Amino acid sequence: MAEKEVKSIDPATLEMIEKAAQDGARVVFERAGTTRACPIGAEGNCCSICAMGPCRVAAPKGKEETAEERRKRVGVCGATPETISARNFVRKIAAGTASHGDHGRVMARFFLAVAKGEAPGYQIKDEQKLLQLALELGVTIGDRSNEEIAVDVAQLLMNEFGKQEGELLFLKRAPLKRQELWRKLGIAPRGIDIEVAEAMHRTHMGTDQDYRDLLNNGTKVALADGWGGSMIATDIQDVIFGTPAPLLSQINLGVLKEDEVNIIVHGHEPQLAEMMAVAANDPEMNKYAQSKGAKGINLAGMCCTANEMLMRHGVPIAGNFLQQELVMVTGAVEIMVVDVQCIMQGLVDTANCYHTKIITTDPRAKIQGATHMEFDEHHAMESAKAIIKVAVDNFVNRGQNVRIPKYKTDMIAGFSHETINYLLGGMFRASYRPLNDNIINGRIRGVAGVVGCNNPRVTHDNANLVMVKELIKNDVLVLQTGCMAMASGKAGLLVPEAAAEYAGEGLASVCETVGIPPVLHMGACIDNTRILMAATAMVKDGGLGDDISDLPVAGAAPEWMSEKAIAIGQYFVGSGVFTVFGVTWPTTGSKEVSDYLFKDFEEMYGGMWAFEPDPLKAARLMIEHIDKKRKALGIDKARERVLYDMEMRRELDSV
Ligand code: BF8
């Protein structure tokens, strides 16, 4: 585990940590200091899946183990450290896949309700994407209405969750070679739920006890996330709420307004947030706010719900994962509305130190001490207005202890896979060709996805910043989602001007020509599937090999904490991407398991895991991998020749 010297590199966060201490409010940064990480669990050496244990199977530190000692270092049932480590790892994948899958399932049900006209206030916003989906899934278009088509599409996508045999429909989106590999290895997922359920069975006491088999099955489960649950969620959300396109907004605690009713929306599923965005602009609601002495209603997001509202409405972001309690420490938040995932139970305790009300809205996620106001998508506007009314009524209870940090930064978000396609190729020749060409000629060295969470065990936002800056300095275009995209936003990397300041000459010249930042915000964590689609489009455009594993690309989650991050990492690895995680690694207790994930996986999948807590070293591993792929493609020489004379610049301008 990396040692942490400073809690955050974000001045707004540091200011609020200090205020929390003065106010006697507990926050995650303080709890991480008092509740230490369990060293045995952190290394994957604790088995708690039956009542004969929990069994700890950690190797003795500081001395060589004899063969006999090694033989005896097993659980009560005889499970080896490898089995225990692999089982724990696969259970994380299953939990992550279940979470994204459940999000996708709710979206599919919601889509059906919208198509049937049972969810007033919502409609199909991206007709083009709906029709593309219909074509892809073999749904008749003819002269049927969008709604009729959508009913069939929704039904087909809903079936993906409970499907018992065959293959997930979206696997066909992957490069052909990758599909064949999955089939050959027997890891093409059948349905989403069945893979999660089988993984829970395989990892039950006394079932699958070969770590290699467990880990390969883990890939199958993870693929059911990346090419299943998450991909379904992203596509449906685009159809109903619109496919994101670039827009300008702001990020950090400074987006709160002293003279307005501040509402924070936090979580992951965007149906309620979408309606909140509409209701917050309702003249009647604003008049009501004025009647209570506020100038208006200010909506801001937190975590991935924030990314969803940002990407489609430009709603500002108050902060990322580790700032969720700190936003209340400002003393200026009337309500925090939460749905599912990444919502700390500590919110209630922090809220009790201020006037903020925590409102849970999802039947699957209630919190003791919070107010539950269930969101009803059949009466969405009424639900949203009722919640906003609670906020307005609470405005009068705001005390004098208010301090909103001044920090907020401009950022551009909304880079969906479709948008990148369009920006690079233009409306009539939308394609990844210019990207591929610039990779081949060496102006862009490669592409990296830097995604995932914050973790209080390391300095907040720091690893992201060090890694991303090193990558762009070395001409690697960075794609981001989740809380890491927010970290870059706060640091000013999500604006086109960042290219001239931080990017290498080659990348900067391409960004300048196209007018994009060197770091592209692609959305929430489920939108990592946009990165899969971008990688697939690069393969299909030609010149960079015939599989994702041939591309000069890499992935990373330098500050990860969630089980969802492990599922995401495993589906990237299983799709052929080298993926490096920071902070801590859950199988360090077993050299065999770690070697299998870090080395043997490369032979099987062309992609593999790595663990490197130093973000600079991790960035260099990514660049090394990118260079290895460039060499294999025979384009390493092109890069050495890049000199940028006037002629080349003119040529670039004509792209
Ligand atoms: O799904 S990046 S802390 S908010 S898990 Fe959570 Fe991690 Fe943030 Fe979004 Ni993703």
Side-chain angles (χ1 to χ4, degrees):
M1 177 96 47
E3 275 305 312
K4 190 174 71 160
E5 285 149 18
V6 237
K7 292 191 166 75
S8 177
I9 54 160
D10 169 34
T13 297
L14 291 173
E15 190 180 330
M16 286 303 101
I17 292 174
E18 206 186 304
K19 182 170 185 292
Q22 285 161 11
D23 294 351
R26 292 200 76 191
V27 295
V28 61
F29 292 93
E30 184 242 319
R31 289 191 300 271
T34 51
T35 305
R36 296 198 39 224
C38 164
I40 297 162
E43 295 189 343
N45 277 325
C46 176
C47 182
S48 62
I49 64 169
C50 86
M52 293 191 287
C55 299
R56 297 160 156 199
V57 293
K61 298 265 181 219
K63 78 175 186 81
E64 197 66 29
E65 198 175 17
T66 66
E68 191 53 16
E69 282 169 339
R70 180 71 175 76
R71 186 170 75 88
K72 287 183 178 161
R73 186 160 60 86
V74 292
V76 173
C77 70
T80 62
E82 296 81 68
T83 296
I84 290 169
S85 176
R87 269 199 305 229
N88 288 336
F89 192 71
V90 171
R91 284 203 162 194
K92 288 187 199 304
I93 296 173
T97 303
S99 305
H100 286 146
D102 211 36
H103 177 160
R105 182 197 345 273
V106 163
M107 291 318 303
R109 278 216 306 257
F110 174 61
F111 187 23
L112 193 60
V114 173
K116 286 183 172 171
E118 292 166 1
Y122 300 101
Q123 61 266 335
I124 290 154
K125 283 219 179 110
D126 191 339
E127 183 189 36
Q128 196 57 35
K129 191 146 184 173
L130 170 71
L131 297 180
Q132 266 167 10
L133 261 176
L135 277 176
E136 183 183 348
L137 299 174
V139 170
T140 308
I141 296 176
D143 53 5
R144 300 202 304 160
S145 70
N146 281 347
E147 287 66 30
E148 285 169 316
I149 296 166
V151 167
D152 287 355
V153 172
Q155 202 68 62
L156 271 173
L157 294 179
M158 205 136 77
N159 290 347
E160 292 293 89
F161 294 91
K163 208 160 78 181
Q164 300 295 306
E165 40 194 43
E167 274 178 15
L168 284 178
L169 296 168
F170 285 165
L171 294 191
K172 290 210 167 55
R173 289 180 167 184
L176 275 178
K177 201 170 164 194
R178 184 65 25 186
Q179 295 179 39
E180 279 158 19
L181 178 72
W182 291 335
R183 284 177 200 124
K184 195 178 103 204
L185 294 171
I187 55 165
R190 297 157 288 182
I192 297 157
D193 297 349
I194 193 173
E195 303 308 350
V196 173
E198 188 181 301
M200 293 309 286
H201 176 203
R202 278 173 183 255
T203 54
H204 183 273
M205 190 268 147
T207 309
D208 199 354
Q209 287 156 110
D210 176 329
Y211 72 92
R212 288 157 302 203
D213 198 48
L214 279 162
L215 295 171
N216 283 308
N217 187 257
T219 310
K220 191 178 186 182
V221 184
L223 293 175
D225 178 354
W227 299 87
S230 282
M231 199 170 268
I232 289 173
T234 295
D235 273 29
I236 292 177
Q237 288 172 190
D238 281 356
V239 170
I240 303 176
F241 307 128
T243 301
L247 40 72
L248 177 72
S249 189
Q250 289 188 313
I251 183 164
N252 217 343
L253 298 174
V255 304
L256 296 184
K257 295 194 175 142
E258 194 135 8
D259 48 8
E260 295 194 15
V261 173
N262 288 308
I263 298 174
I264 300 294
V265 190
H266 172 21
H268 285 78
E269 292 177 4
Q271 317 86 297
L272 168 62
E274 280 281 323
M275 207 44 91
M276 293 280 291
V278 178
N281 284 323
D282 182 84
E284 234 178 76
M285 293 312 297
N286 278 276
K287 224 163 123 194
Y288 185 56
Q290 282 153 14
S291 77
K292 300 283 177 179
K295 282 214 173 116
I297 297 165
N298 182 38
L299 198 64
M302 184 65 66
C303 286
C304 280
T305 298
N307 282 327
E308 302 284 5
M309 295 198 300
L310 164 76
M311 299 277 282
R312 298 192 178 91
H313 298 282
V315 170
I317 295 186
N320 52 3
F321 178 65
L322 287 183
Q323 293 177 286
Q324 58 184 279
E325 293 157 324
L326 298 177
V327 73
M328 294 187 286
V329 174
T330 60
V333 173
E334 274 57 58
I335 59 168
M336 180 178 280
V337 189
V338 303
D339 53 85
V340 293
Q341 300 170 20
C342 301
I343 298 148
M344 293 191 201
Q345 188 164 3
L347 288 177
V348 173
D349 190 53
T350 314
N352 285 340
C353 296
Y354 304 92
H355 75 301
T356 313
K357 285 190 163 71
I358 306 290
I359 299 180
T360 53
T361 58
D362 191 289
R364 295 163 297 173
K366 295 181 184 170
I367 306 177
Q368 208 180 345
T371 306
H372 189 70
M373 295 177 73
E374 204 148 305
F375 171 60
D376 177 3
E377 67 202 25
H378 300 102
H379 303 95
M381 186 50 100
E382 286 91 321
S383 288
K385 282 187 175 172
I387 291 170
I388 292 178
K389 185 171 180 299
V390 173
V392 174
D393 289 339
N394 199 25
F395 181 73
V396 294
N397 297 322
R398 197 191 278 184
Q400 295 303 307
N401 184 15
V402 173
R403 176 152 38 111
I404 300 173
K406 297 278 169 274
Y407 305 96
K408 56 180 172 182
T409 315
D410 282 349
M411 63 174 167
I412 293 179
F415 292 94
S416 55
H417 148 65
E418 290 84 349
T419 298
I420 296 177
N421 215 6
Y422 162 71
L423 283 177
L424 290 170
M427 189 168 336
F428 299 109
R429 52 182 181 122
S431 84
Y432 275 67
R433 191 71 249 156
L435 176 63
N436 285 19
D437 285 346
N438 278 307
I439 290 175
I440 292 165
N441 69 27
R443 289 185 190 110
I444 294 179
R445 192 175 196 149
V447 180
V450 180
V451 306
C453 328
N454 293 138
N455 189 319
R457 301 291 177 195
V458 293
T459 304
H460 173 229
D461 289 350
N462 179 55
N464 173 72
L465 220 60
V466 172
M467 176 179 279
V468 170
K469 281 187 176 168
E470 181 67 10
L471 290 167
I472 60 176
K473 189 175 92 186
N474 284 284
D475 296 313
V476 176
L477 176 70
V478 174
L479 309 180
Q480 295 210 273
T481 60
C483 290
M484 289 299 86
M486 299 184 197
S488 291
K490 282 183 272 176
L493 296 177
L494 302 185
V495 287
E497 299 76 43
E501 195 174 347
Y502 301 107
E505 198 183 348
L507 175 62
S509 56
V510 175
C511 289
E512 221 171 88
T513 309
V514 185
I516 54 171
V519 183
L520 305 182
H521 187 335
M522 294 186 80
C525 277
I526 54 143
D527 296 330
N528 283 315
T529 60
R530 299 190 199 276
I531 301 180
L532 288 179
M533 291 304 293
T536 302
M538 286 166 71
V539 173
K540 290 187 176 163
D541 242 291
L544 293 173
D546 51 12
D547 196 355
I548 295 174
S549 55
D550 295 331
L551 297 172
V553 302
E559 300 180 36
W560 77 281
M561 65 87 204
S562 152
E563 292 167 317
K564 290 180 288 173
I566 294 287
I568 292 166
Q570 185 91 351
Y571 75 61
F572 269 102
V573 169
S575 300
V577 180
F578 168 66
T579 303
V580 52
F581 270 35
V583 190
T584 182
W585 183 251
T587 71
T588 38
S590 167
K591 186 175 176 322
E592 289 83 348
V593 169
S594 298
D595 280 353
Y596 196 65
L597 296 168
F598 297 166
K599 294 175 189 158
D600 299 352
F601 261 23
E602 184 171 21
E603 273 161 46
M604 285 183 287
Y605 303 129
M608 67 291 197
W609 285 98
F611 167 53
E612 177 49 71
D614 179 330
L616 199 58
K617 286 187 190 157
R620 290 190 182 141
L621 287 178
M622 295 163 84
I623 294 167
E624 250 171 55
H625 180 81
I626 284 170
D627 286 349
K628 184 171 95 178
K629 293 296 170 184
R630 293 187 66 87
K631 192 162 182 215
L633 288 165
I635 55 172
D636 50 329
K637 298 285 177 294
R639 201 180 142 68
E640 285 162 20
R641 286 200 302 270
V642 178
L643 287 170
Y644 299 99
D645 53 24
M646 277 318 287
E647 198 185 335
M648 285 176 80
R649 285 210 174 275
R650 271 198 295 275
E651 179 199 323
L652 186 67
D653 288 345
S654 66
V655 167

